Amino acid sequence: MQRALPGARQHLGAILASASVVVKALCAAVLLLYLLSFAVDTGCLAVTPGYLFPPNFWIWTLATHGLMEQHVWDVAISLATVVAAGRLLEPLWGALELLIFFSVVNVSVGLLGAFAYLLTYMASFNLVYLFTVRIHGALGFLGGVLVALKQTMGDCVVLRVPQVRLSVVPMLLLALLLLLRLATLLQSPALASYGFGLLSSWVYLRFYQRHSRGRGDMADHFAFATFFPEILQPVVGLLANLVHSLLVKVKICQKTVKRYDVGAPSSITISLPGTDPQDAERRRQLALKALNERLKRVEDQSVWPSMDDDEEEVGAKVDSPLPSDKVPALPGKGAAPESSLITFEAAPPKL
């Protein structure tokens, strides 16, 4: 263990050295708040449902709860999540979009978690759900990062035996956290943070994230039903379509619009808003470049002579006259008619 720690620190330092300002700032904030927790009570930085709503209005906790950790293993998970987002998502989105995604997910987790515990208090009249529960940590952002990776890298294999793809990891981790909660090994705010992180990140990426051709990602592989096992997908898809139709009527979500690009150089193409991310465009350009280079090499290796050029050369040989010095001339007369096939000579005199 002591031998592995210096290597891990060196590797983490190299990763942070090449990271952007956003990733470095988030990691520094997590470490700073964790060290600050040894000196003062940092409970005022977590979302407490009873203090978030009137008359207290602890609004700042919506921005700080995702950065506050109380245990060293939680700090490690938080740093790993931020670094993974910087390495895998930032090259596709940019630093500003990654910061917006982090803010949207954490604010949504704080608000949804506070409302959920408020409804629980209204059903049970237990003040523990208002003033004892504290929502904090990076599990909400971890759920959002896993949803974003499902959108961009869903076909990647995480485990080979048994084969587990990245697209099913968000729900597998949710099931694991649920089992830990039932075994009383995990607190309910952690499970709520992760669940609301999954939901809020999917809604943002599905309907609101800006792309070069609109907003959101309406691809079939990113539908809400795809997060569930195949046996449950028809039922979940039906319920999700009903909820989406209701949200469209109240103008919270936009209706799916298909666009036809008639002026494309190839055949007619159909595109949906948000289905043209920068990563897909980059891969398409690289594939086209590789295909063009391969076709050019094949054409250079198998160049056939032109039939037209051969016919022109043969015609030139047939039609071109012989030089005048090689054609014998008739005595006493002008030069014989020139021909490349027939020559004329003077007839012998009659005796």
Side-chain angles (χ1 to χ4, degrees):
M1 185 67 179
Q2 294 179 354
R3 295 179 179 180
L5 284 178
R9 292 176 182 175
Q10 184 178 3
H11 186 63
L12 181 61
I15 293 176
L16 292 178
S18 60
S20 64
V21 178
V22 174
V23 175
K24 292 179 181 178
L26 293 178
C27 292
V30 172
L31 292 174
L32 179 62
L33 293 180
Y34 175 69
L35 296 177
L36 187 63
S37 64
F38 291 98
V40 297
D41 184 15
T42 56
C44 60
L45 302 178
V47 172
T48 305
Y51 295 131
L52 180 64
F53 301 111
N56 297 288
F57 286 110
W58 286 12
I59 303 298
W60 66 86
T61 58
L62 296 176
T64 58
H65 76 93
L67 301 172
M68 196 195 85
E69 302 290 357
Q70 294 181 342
H71 304 93
V72 63
W73 52 85
D74 295 330
V75 173
I77 294 175
S78 181
L79 294 178
T81 303
V82 174
V83 170
R87 293 291 296 272
L88 300 176
L89 298 179
E90 188 177 7
L92 303 178
W93 295 350
L96 179 59
E97 179 60 30
L98 180 62
L99 181 60
I100 293 174
F101 180 72
F102 177 84
S103 304
V104 168
V105 171
N106 281 282
V107 171
S108 301
V109 167
L111 287 175
L112 293 176
F115 274 112
Y117 282 107
L118 178 62
L119 294 177
T120 305
Y121 163 75
M122 295 174 62
S124 62
F125 295 100
N126 189 352
L127 290 176
V128 173
Y129 296 110
L130 286 183
F131 300 103
T132 305
V133 170
R134 292 181 178 181
I135 302 173
H136 64 89
L139 279 180
F141 185 59
L142 174 60
V145 171
L146 291 178
V147 171
L149 293 179
K150 169 183 168 58
Q151 179 194 25
T152 57
M153 306 169 56
D155 294 334
C156 293
V157 177
V158 180
L159 295 177
R160 296 188 179 275
V161 180
Q163 189 176 19
V164 177
R165 295 188 180 276
L166 186 59
S167 58
V168 300
V169 171
M171 298 306 293
L172 287 180
L173 184 56
L174 179 62
L176 177 61
L177 295 178
L178 182 59
L179 292 177
L180 294 177
R181 174 55 187 160
L182 294 177
T184 66
L185 298 176
L186 186 70
Q187 297 180 354
S188 60
L191 178 61
S193 297
Y194 181 79
F196 289 127
L198 291 179
L199 180 61
S200 60
S201 60
W202 177 81
V203 172
Y204 173 73
L205 296 176
R206 182 72 169 178
F207 301 105
Y208 298 105
Q209 188 185 38
R210 290 185 177 274
H211 291 284
S212 58
R213 292 189 178 182
R215 290 188 176 186
D217 184 0
M218 303 304 295
D220 293 336
H221 73 274
F222 195 55
F224 185 72
T226 59
F227 286 85
F228 296 85
E230 294 183 1
I231 192 174
L232 299 177
Q233 288 184 7
V235 178
V236 176
L238 178 61
L239 296 177
N241 291 333
L242 293 177
V243 174
H244 179 257
S245 300
L246 179 61
L247 295 178
V248 169
K249 289 183 179 180
V250 297
K251 297 183 179 181
I252 296 179
C253 296
Q254 296 181 356
K255 188 177 180 180
T256 304
V257 179
K258 293 183 179 181
R259 299 185 301 176
Y260 297 88
D261 189 6
V262 182
S266 59
S267 58
I268 298 176
T269 58
I270 303 174
S271 60
L272 297 176
T275 58
D276 186 29
Q278 297 179 357
D279 184 53
E281 180 65 21
R282 178 178 59 84
R283 293 177 181 177
R284 188 177 70 86
Q285 294 294 339
L286 291 176
L288 289 176
K289 182 179 179 181
L291 180 60
N292 291 332
E293 292 178 354
R294 184 177 300 176
L295 292 176
K296 185 177 180 180
R297 288 198 302 268
V298 172
E299 290 177 358
D300 293 339
Q301 294 176 359
S302 59
V303 176
W304 289 86
S306 176
M307 299 299 293
D308 295 337
D309 295 340
D310 294 342
E311 292 178 357
E312 291 179 357
E313 293 177 0
V314 172
K317 292 180 180 179
V318 173
D319 296 336
S320 59
L322 294 174
S324 58
D325 55 349
K326 294 183 180 181
V327 178
L330 295 176
K333 297 184 180 180
E338 296 179 355
S339 175
S340 61
L341 298 178
I342 303 173
T343 57
F344 296 90
E345 297 180 359
K350 293 183 181 180
L351 300 177

